[in-house]
Structure formats: structure tokens, C-alpha cells
Amino acid sequence: MLLSLIPTVLLAAQRVSYEQSQKTAALVMDYPAVAAQARRFGLEPEALLARYQQLGVNGVGLYEDVIGNLVQRGEVILKTGADLLADVPGAPVKAQNVYLRSVVPGAAEALPARYTIPTRTVQAAGQRWVEWPTDPTFLPTGPNRALLTRLQAKGLTVVYRPYADDALREPGADWPDVPFILFNGDEVIGARTPELLAKISERLTGRVPALIEGNPQRGLDTLVATHGAARTFSISPSWQNRLDPLTLASKYNLAARERSMRLLYLRPYPTIGETEALLIRTSELLRASGVRVTQPGVAPFEEHGLLRTLSLLGPLAALLLLGLSLPLPRLGLLAAAGTAALAFALNRLDPFAATALIAAVTFPALGLVLRRHRVTDWFLATGLSLAGVLFVSALGANKDSVLGLEPFRGVGLTLLLPLVLVALSFLPRQDLRQTARDIYHAPIKLGDVVVMGLGLAVFALVFLRRGNTTGASVSDTEAKLRQDLQDSLVRPRFKELAGHPLALVGLSGVLPGYFSALLILGGVVGQASILNTFSHFHTPLLISAQRCFLGLAAGLIAGLIGIWAVKTALRLWQTWGQKPGAVKA
């Protein structure tokens, strides 16, 4: 185990160096939303955008034009056949078709070559119209290059948003020279056709596709494998309008600082004042977090195959040691084999991912299996958990997992299996059948039932609230406390704030009977949470370390206070109502 830690330390240093070089983000404002807001207040869109640029915005999301945009700008005129017949009775047009005429010379005539839709040219009242058998309003026409040039001249990072349409002959052929491409909808252009997807990949050239948090797009993984990705955080307008600007700013800061989001995609509030408050607060928080607002340079995370392979030995040795350390060695080896088999099955026989899961479930249990007789044994357990952190990071962090494309499989097991493994260590050194008979015949009191019920309820709550999207929500008070903590420092995990004190009180032995054992099992949750924290590979390693050590410090202090409080409470309980002389005797 110790020898295998050497490559993990080197890999951790490599990962920290990579993540420190990537602490940049762009504040990207959705241009159509800004334009709509500007017109509501009688302002020019670019003037309002310049106002927001002074408050920190350094990017803009620019959608591909559609034919309807050309009509709005007066470059072409669109009429239905019915309207054209009303204007020019007897014209050779069909009422159900749609007709385009150029205002800018050649604008309407250049469009049919872009699409597979059959068109024809007709004359009506001495004017030439292009006839379309379907409404072409929403057909993509490429970028608005004049607007794009003006925005780039102002120093804005342009995130181009192309539309997909089966009628396009050569999608992606006219993409502008921009650093990022953000696809619309639930799939990238060409996702349903391998040949077209290969063309899109070629046409990306130096452009980086945006990976939208919480919105997996079909086919994007293929593009990311070649071009990398810029993790992007965006909030829907409906959700945004339910949040005040300070709360929303906190979420954008959290996304950049703790989830490695490189593009923070913003939309304005209904009012300019709210939007300015959002930008001011977001810029303040990003500065405090050390995230530089600039055009992000996205580099892929490089994996070191040899060092990762050498790191495989440590978790396997730890699992074997744990199995041999259980009171019943045969049962221990069987539990170890079952854990390994489950890890490999969940990770589809991937040796690195499977061994990362083995580390995540073994090291939180190992220390409390080896020694749990005094309070100082908590430091051994914690030290082994931190060693497990290095193995989890070394084996689980790869090009896909740091982008959030490859989730950590078996997150639920990182809370459950350590509990099971430590619980097995409480078995007596005797035949299992005799242990089962002893348990069956043990007298159970009402207090025992209540204690077990409370323990199961607490564990169920902890298990349900694992991760970011679970079935158990947080209260408004806890949500406010979390926001205040994450705005001022990295928020420790509440499972650790509760689990570490439980372990310390349990190890102190101040409680009678089986209560200490139950508290030690509760402490396993705190140790498991350490490993669980580091299984989110898109979170920078140093951020996870800050969260972990804050939780350890707070848990240690709370645990020592808890030991004193329990001792005091027990003494008061035992001596309450007795005369001082009797107590002295």
C-alpha cells in the first residue's frame, strides 16, 4: 500500500497543476435575450450589451441566423401566395406556397442553393420572387457576419449557436471563426448520421464544443473525444426568475469554482437593475474565488498510463488486509472477493474505475476495523481515508471524468459497503450459526427498538441525500446556510460534520452497552463521505481537499465538545437529586 502511494502522489500533483492552469471562465450573455430586453426599454441591443460588458460580461452567445432574421432586417421580403395574389390578381403563384423577394440584391436568390428543398423563380408585377413549397422562415442561413465582426471588435468571446435542419446541404460549412460552438436542443448536428457527424467533427477544426451541465446531448461525446469540451453552466429562464440575483450569482460562482465550468451562460432578468445586480455580485464572487474572467483556453486532461497502473496495487492490498482483519477470516475473504466482484461488474471490467470504487469502499472502513479502542484511533481511520483519496483520484480521474462525461459508478455503495464491512468486524469469533442463534434469542427492549429505528431513519436520510439530485430536499434554512458558507468559503459536507463527532464519541467509550458501536458505525459515514467528496472528478482536487479538511477540523472540535457534553450529561443523570454528601460517598 505504501509503495503504491508513491505514483498516486505524483498523479495528484499532475492533476493539481492542470486544474490550476484552467481557473478561467467567460461570462457569456445570450444576445437575443439582451436584444429583447433592450427593445422593451427603448435601447439599442449593442449599447445595452456594452453596459453589461463594463460590469464583467466578456462573451456573447450568438445564434445562427434564420430566414426570418433576414426578413426582420429588411434584406428580403416574405409573402404568402395568398397575400401575393391579393396584391397582384392573376399572378402565376400558388396560394399555399411562400415567396421571397430580394431587397438587398441577390439575397433571396442565393438561398435555394443552401437547401435540398425544390424552389422555382416566378414573375409577378415585374418583380422576381423565389417560390418555396414550405414556409422557410426558420431555415438556418449562417451567421450574421456584420454583427459578429462588431462584437469581436469589442473584445467579446463569441459562442456560436448553430441550428440543425435536415434540409441543409452542408451543415457547418459556413461556421465563423469563433472559439466555441454551443449546439441547440438535445443532440448535436449529425448525431443521427455517422457520416454527417464525422463531417461536423472535421468542420469544428480549432473550435471547442460546449458541454452543457445537466443537458446531455446525443453525439456530443464523439466530438468531445477529438476536440475536448468547455463545461458550460446555464440556468433556464423560468428557474432564473424564481431566484433573486444574489442567489443566482452564488450558483454561477459555485459552478466556476467547484465544478470547473468554463462558460457561464447568462440571461438578463426582466429588469436592467436586476441584471446589473447579478453581474456585479457574480464578478465579485469570481474574483474572491480566484477565477479569472477571460476567454478560457481549454486543454484536455492528460492521463499517465504507467503511474495509474502502478496505483492499482494499493486498493487491492487494502481490500485483502481488511478481509484478513475481520474476526472470521473466511467470511472476511468472501466479503473482500464479493466487494471486488461487485466493483468490476458495476464498472464493466474497467480495471481503473473498478479499483477506484474498491478504494472508495475499503479505506473508510479499514481504520475502524483495525483499531477502535480509543479516541486517537480516529486519526488512524482518517489517515487511511486520506490515503484512499489519493488512490481514488489517481485511478478515477481521466479525460472524460474530469469533464463530467464519465460519472463515478457505485456512488451509493461508497456509503453502504463501508458500513457493512465495519459491521462485520463486530461479529464474535465463533460459528456464524451460534451468532445467529444468539441474536435470535437476545431479549429486545422497547428502547432497543426505538434506537434501531432512529438509526435506520438517519441512515436512510443520509443515503437519500447523497449527490446533487436526490429525492430528499433541503430546508430553506439549510439552503440559506449553505449559500452563505459557499459564498465565503468552501462548504464542508454535512455528513462529515455529523459523522466525525459520532465516531469520536463512540471511540471514547463514554456510552454504555452497544451505543458506542452504533456511534462508531455512524462515524463510518463521515469517513465514507471523505472518499465520496473526491469521487466528483470535475471538482478541482484542491477544492475537495479544502472541503474535506474543513469538515475534519469542525468534526474534531465538535467531537471533543460532544465527549465532554456526554460525560457531563451522564454524570448529571446519575447524580441528579442526590445530596452532596451521598454523592461524595
Side-chain angles (χ1 to χ4, degrees), residues 116-384:
T116 58
I117 299 172
T119 61
R120 69 186 183 104
T121 302
V122 299
Q123 296 286 333
Q127 296 175 329
R128 187 163 61 175
W129 297 80
V130 178
E131 179 185 78
W132 296 78
T134 185
D135 186 355
T137 301
F138 298 104
L139 289 175
T141 62
N144 181 347
R145 295 194 178 275
L147 174 60
L148 176 69
T149 300
R150 293 197 301 272
L151 295 174
Q152 289 179 324
K154 295 175 181 177
L156 290 165
T157 297
V158 176
V159 178
Y160 187 60
R161 306 201 63 178
Y163 290 111
D165 197 293
D166 293 338
L168 279 170
R169 292 185 186 275
E170 294 294 337
D174 57 1
W175 284 348
D177 185 15
V178 296
F180 303 105
I181 298 292
L182 178 55
F183 294 98
N184 298 292
D186 296 327
E187 59 183 39
V188 305
I189 298 172
R192 298 175 181 273
T193 310
E195 295 79 11
L196 178 56
L197 187 60
K199 277 188 177 181
I200 293 298
S201 181
E202 291 176 7
R203 289 167 180 171
L204 274 172
T205 57
R207 307 174 185 92
V208 178
L211 174 64
I212 306 172
E213 171 86 343
N215 182 32
Q217 294 175 303
R218 180 180 176 185
L220 185 61
D221 54 343
T222 301
L223 303 180
V224 170
T226 304
H227 304 278
R231 284 176 58 81
T232 304
F233 182 71
S234 176
I235 290 181
S236 66
S238 59
W239 185 22
Q240 173 173 323
N241 289 334
R242 294 197 295 268
L243 303 173
D244 63 84
L246 299 186
T247 300
L248 185 58
S250 179
K251 293 185 180 298
Y252 278 109
N253 174 59
L254 186 70
R257 184 185 68 188
E258 300 187 20
R259 301 214 294 273
S260 302
M261 298 296 170
R262 315 304 302 284
L263 301 178
L264 305 179
Y265 200 91
L266 304 146
R267 293 180 178 84
Y269 274 97
T271 67
I272 294 175
E274 287 177 298
T275 308
E276 290 179 333
L278 166 66
L279 295 176
I280 292 170
R281 183 58 176 163
T282 302
S283 297
E284 290 175 351
L285 292 174
L286 290 176
R287 281 195 299 271
S289 298
V291 177
R292 191 161 52 93
V293 177
T294 184
Q295 178 175 310
V298 179
F301 179 73
E302 295 183 3
E303 304 167 22
H304 197 297
L306 176 60
L307 291 179
R308 292 182 80 201
T309 302
L310 293 174
S311 302
L312 289 171
L313 300 176
L316 298 177
L319 183 60
L320 179 60
L321 175 60
L322 187 147
L324 293 172
S325 301
L326 292 178
L328 304 175
R330 291 182 182 178
L331 178 63
L333 291 176
L334 183 62
T339 299
L342 186 58
F344 276 89
L346 281 175
N347 288 279
R348 304 167 189 173
L349 301 182
D350 181 341
F352 296 114
T355 312
L357 178 56
I358 289 173
V361 301
T362 301
F363 282 95
L366 184 57
L368 293 172
V369 169
L370 292 175
R371 277 173 40 186
R372 51 168 182 265
H373 304 301
R374 54 181 64 89
V375 172
T376 53
D377 290 341
W378 178 81
F379 293 95
L380 171 66
T382 301
L384 286 169

